[in-house]
Every structure is written in structure tokens, then in C-alpha cells.
Amino acid sequence: MHVHRFEKLWIGLSLFLIASFIGIVLFGFTVMDLKVPGVEQGKPVDPTTVLSKGAFANPGVRKIEENHYEVYMVAQQFLFRPGTGQPLVLPADTKVTFHLTSPDVIHGFEVPGTNLNSMVIPGQIATFTTRFPEPKTYGLICHEYCGAAHHNMKGEIKIVPKSEFDESNLISR
Ligand code: CUA
């Protein structure tokens, strides 16, 4: 059977693209160590009890060690706790580990102007670590359609200089 030269070219290009896509995914999971939400934590949570027991029953900022804080945050219809109403306050140039979960439906967590972007899935904990370089106020939005007031689900993250960070509002571990 004769296959035209251009036909061969397009078949070759298509195969190359498919191989590239598979390669990029493998590269992400191996070399870049990307993870899907929940995998890091290993154990799923029960969304029906997550608000009544454990760290998410008392969401907020905790201190792990000097220069390392963690944030337990609940995304629910239609707010972030903490973050909505009052801004979540964190120190600049400090390691911050976020733990997110949802008791109801899938939400999104995005901080525009940064690379912070995660889905928040009921029954799973999304964990990631970041560092905000300097004092600045960021918006916080839900980017997964989660119901009638999805468009109103937003909050604020206020980054203050390390020296002005008030540790009296921390939650004890
Ligand atoms: Cu929560 Cu959209």
C-alpha cells in the first residue's frame, strides 16, 4: 500500500505528540515530584465528621517551629475558614504549609498572582508548602463551580512583615 509522504508526516507528528504528552506526565510525577491532592497525607478524611473532630474542627494558623507555620483551612459553601470575612494573616518570607479540605462539595483554592492553586475535595486533604516573599494583600478565590453563590466565595490573605506578625492569634497544636 502506498502512503503519501504528507500522510506519513502527519502520522509521525501525531505519534510524536502523544509520546510527548505521556512523557510530560511521567516527567511531572517523577522528576518534578508533582502529587495529586490527598496523596501526600495518605489517609482520607470523613467529610461528615471533619468539622467536629481533628484539626479542621478548629481551623486556623499553627506554629510548627521557628519560621514554619501551618494553616488548616476549610473551604465550604460559600466561604473559606479562615480567609472570608477576616483576612488570613501570615508572615512574609516564612515557610507556610497549607492543609485544605471540604465538608460539602468540591471547591477550588486559588491565590491570584501566585502559583497557589488546588482543588479542595471532600474526603481528601490537599497539602502544599509555600513562602510569600514580601508583605502584600492577596485575594483568594474559589475556582470550581460549587453552587448558587460560587461567584461570591472569596477571601483575603494578608502578608505582614515578620516583625509585625502577631503570634497571640495562633492556635495551639
Ligand atoms: Cu466554592 Cu466555588
Side-chain angles (χ1 to χ4, degrees), residues 88-132:
L88 163 64
V89 182
L90 291 168
D93 194 28
T94 304
K95 212 168 155 188
V96 179
T97 299
F98 281 88
H99 307 279
L100 308 171
T101 198
S102 162
D104 44 42
V105 300
I106 295 178
H107 296 278
F109 170 96
E110 185 184 353
V111 183
T114 71
N115 65 351
L116 298 179
N117 184 325
S118 179
M119 288 175 82
V120 189
I121 302 170
Q124 296 196 9
I125 299 170
T127 296
F128 48 88
T129 298
T130 189
R131 184 183 286 270
F132 296 92

Side-chain angles (χ1 to χ4, degrees), residues 107-108 142-146 150 153:
H107 296 278
C142 174
H143 60 62
E144 289 287 336
Y145 181 74
C146 54
H150 157 72
M153 184 164 167

